């Protein structure tokens, strides 16, 4: 960080133009924007929503019926022909990825002290974010539950009905 | 920043360890999510490809891994709510330790509901 002279200009300014006595306190303007504040709020807001989305996801996929044993192509076919689960999974994908990526950004900032290391790690992080979010979104919306020529045994029952 | 010379407000005890656990679980969940979106994407390749990979999730070893992952998510979720309450309730910081014990209690109850069912699905029958 190049913070050696941070604050000095503001002090000089203060000395030059003293505030009138008992004028109300005004926060010093920062030039950095409010990014970290918004990110802090987002971590909390998305966390609350994710509790519902993730617990619902785990319950339906792991607890109902035969749980993980029941998951196969036909199971996914049954879920993603329903717009409700499409929207659910899309929201979960985006919120979890932004929340997780932002969390990892914090962790990188904490431990990677060299500028180059930090830059490279964050570059990889944002690359992974982009690939996974684009891939996941495409899959949810281009999914074909009854692909032509596939073994009907492997498909949801409504494909052959 | 990570090299502070001791005596910080947060060093040691429940506050620090819950923070460590929150960080480790968040980290682990993120990397699982990368893998999980990719394996699910195989539904675009073919039913056979998807079933082959998801079949490996139904083995005993992976079944235990899933149990660990669910444990990580359940802790992170409940402790995340605790963090939010610490931040937003006027008396939040004062009750942070009590709330951690509540988090751990809810964690045990939730896992007690989930584990038998999941382990039966993975190890029992068929
Ligand atoms: C299930 C509901 C969830 C809740 C309630 C929740 C809540 C939170 C909260 C409150 C924070 C602290 C943010 C801060 O200190 O500013 C946080 C951090 C974090 N979360 Fe979550 N989260 C949830 C799900 C997830 C998921 C699904 C992932 C992974 C994709 C994740 C990854 C992380 C990471 C990596 C951090 C940063 C940890 C750190 O800075 O030490 N969380 N979470």
């Amino acid at each position: 960080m190049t913070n050696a002279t941070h604050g000095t200009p503001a002090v000089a300014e203060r000395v030059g133009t003293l505030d009138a006595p008992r004028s109300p306190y005004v926060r010093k303007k920062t030039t950095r924007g409010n990014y970290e504040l918004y990110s802090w709020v987002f971590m909390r807001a998305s966390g609350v929503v994710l509790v519902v989305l993730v617990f619902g996801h785990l319950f339906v996929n792991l607890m109902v019926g035969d749980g993980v044993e029941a998951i196969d192509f036909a199971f996914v076919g049954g879920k993603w022909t329903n717009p409700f689960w499409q929207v659910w999974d899309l929201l979960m994908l985006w919120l979890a990825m932004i929340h997780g990526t932002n969390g990892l950004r914090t962790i990188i900032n904490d431990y990677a002290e060299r500028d180059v290391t930090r830059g490279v790690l964050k570059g990889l992080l944002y690359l992974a974010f982009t690939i996974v979010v684009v891939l996941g979104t495409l899959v949810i919306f281009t999914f074909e539950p009854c692909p032509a020529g596939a073994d009907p045994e492997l498909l949801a029952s409504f494909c052959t009905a | 920043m990570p090299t502070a010379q001791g005596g910080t407000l947060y060093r040691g005890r429940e506050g620090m360890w819950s923070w460590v656990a929150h960080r480790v679980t968040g980290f682990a969940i993120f990397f699982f999510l990368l893998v999980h979106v990719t394996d699910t994407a195989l539904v675009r390749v073919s039913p056979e490809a998807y079933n082959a990979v998801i079949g490996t999730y139904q083995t005993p070893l992976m079944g235990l891994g899933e149990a660990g992952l669910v444990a990580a998510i359940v802790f992170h979720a409940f402790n995340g709510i605790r963090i939010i309450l610490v931040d937003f309730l006027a008396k939040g910081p004062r009750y942070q330790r009590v709330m951690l014990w509540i988090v751990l209690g809810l964690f045990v109850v939730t896992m007690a509901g989930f584990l038998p069912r999941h382990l039966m699905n993975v190890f029992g029958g068929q």
Side-chain angles (χ1 to χ4, degrees):
Chain A
M1 297 283 271
T2 51
N3 260 350
T5 57
H6 184 76
T8 317
V11 171
E13 206 180 292
R14 286 273 167 102
V15 173
T17 58
L18 265 184
D19 289 340
R22 280 181 286 286
S23 60
Y25 169 73
V26 181
R27 246 174 210 239
K28 189 158 59 83
K29 273 215 196 79
T30 80
T31 49
R32 294 190 204 188
N34 277 333
Y35 179 76
E36 292 298 340
L37 170 66
Y38 299 139
S39 126
W40 183 91
V41 172
F42 176 82
M43 289 308 272
R44 279 142 189 81
S46 60
V48 173
V49 181
L50 278 169
V51 173
V52 178
L53 293 175
V54 172
F55 278 37
H57 177 76
L58 292 176
F59 188 81
V60 168
N61 290 8
L62 297 181
M63 293 288 281
V64 176
D66 290 328
V68 69
E69 289 293 327
I71 300 179
D72 58 11
F73 186 86
F75 177 88
V76 181
K79 275 186 95 180
W80 279 349
T81 38
N82 185 343
F84 176 82
W85 287 116
Q86 282 187 315
V87 172
W88 185 292
D89 286 356
L90 185 76
L91 211 65
M92 188 166 63
L93 170 72
W94 280 74
L95 285 181
M97 280 305 291
I98 302 175
H99 178 105
T101 301
N102 198 234
L104 252 87
R105 183 187 64 91
T106 305
I107 297 179
I108 292 173
N109 280 341
D110 276 357
Y111 299 121
E113 294 185 33
R114 290 178 58 223
D115 285 354
V116 189
T117 320
R118 243 191 350 265
V120 171
L121 288 177
K122 282 193 205 170
L124 288 173
L125 177 66
Y126 300 147
L127 181 69
F129 171 86
T130 311
I131 293 175
V132 168
V133 167
V134 170
L135 179 69
T137 305
L138 282 178
V139 167
I140 293 176
F141 285 114
T142 65
F143 175 63
E144 171 55 68
C146 309
D151 181 354
E153 283 286 300
L154 302 178
L155 305 181
S157 52
F158 55 75
C159 292
T160 44
Chain B
M1 263 185 298
T3 47
Q5 293 299 307
T8 69
L9 191 59
Y10 294 108
R11 187 157 291 187
R13 297 196 61 105
E14 296 88 340
M16 182 184 96
W17 292 111
S18 64
W19 170 81
V20 170
H22 196 82
R23 177 158 280 195
V24 170
T25 51
F27 192 82
I29 299 164
F30 179 77
F31 282 95
F32 167 76
L33 183 57
L34 299 186
V35 176
H36 185 46
V37 173
T38 311
D39 65 54
T40 304
L42 287 172
V43 294
R44 289 297 292 134
V45 178
S46 72
E48 286 82 3
Y50 181 76
N51 288 354
V53 169
I54 219 69
T56 66
Y57 280 20
Q58 293 155 351
T59 58
L61 189 66
M62 291 299 269
L64 292 179
E66 286 144 25
L69 197 81
V70 168
I73 294 174
V74 170
F75 174 81
H76 189 96
F78 289 161
N79 191 58
I81 299 295
R82 167 177 163 270
I83 295 174
I84 296 171
L85 293 177
V86 168
D87 286 343
F88 285 104
L89 293 185
K91 299 203 169 149
R94 190 185 307 166
Y95 292 116
Q96 62 91 7
R97 189 172 304 163
V98 186
M99 287 197 282
L100 179 62
W101 292 111
I102 297 175
V103 164
L104 293 177
L106 290 174
F107 172 83
V108 170
V109 171
T110 309
M111 290 310 286
F114 169 75
L115 274 185
R117 175 98 217 209
H118 178 68
L119 295 179
M120 258 159 57
N121 285 332
V122 173
F123 290 98
Q126 290 152 2

